[in-house]
Amino acid sequence: SSSKQHDELVEQYENTIEKLKEELEGVKASNTEFLETIDGLEKERDFYFEKLRNVELHCQELILLLGSLEVL
């Protein structure tokens, strides 16, 4: 009957909605994990960039010092 078909369709749609909700939660969890990974990588990048910048400054100081010694 039409009512039975309607009820079966409603049940199928409800099951599909539940599966999609579960899938969405999994995607949200993965997204959170990716965002945390990106944050960690950005912090690591900034740390090494600062170290590299310090090396660059020390090299510039050394070049200036050596240049001034040559003048003497």
Side-chain angles (χ1 to χ4, degrees), residues 8-49:
E8 287 174 354
L9 275 176
V10 168
E11 186 178 345
Q12 286 177 353
Y13 288 142
E14 287 174 345
N15 289 339
T16 300
I17 289 171
E18 282 305 310
K19 287 177 185 174
L20 289 171
K21 283 181 179 179
E22 291 172 8
E23 186 179 337
L24 177 60
E25 288 307 311
V27 170
K28 284 181 179 180
S30 292
N31 188 52
T32 299
E33 217 175 288
F34 289 138
L35 291 174
E36 290 170 355
T37 299
I38 289 169
D39 185 52
L41 290 171
E42 286 175 340
K43 287 178 182 173
E44 189 174 355
R45 175 204 61 200
D46 293 344
F47 173 81
Y48 286 108
F49 180 80

Side-chain angles (χ1 to χ4, degrees), residues 59-69:
C59 287
Q60 288 175 356
E61 289 175 14
L62 186 58
I63 289 169
L64 290 174
L65 179 63
L66 290 175
S68 66
L69 290 176

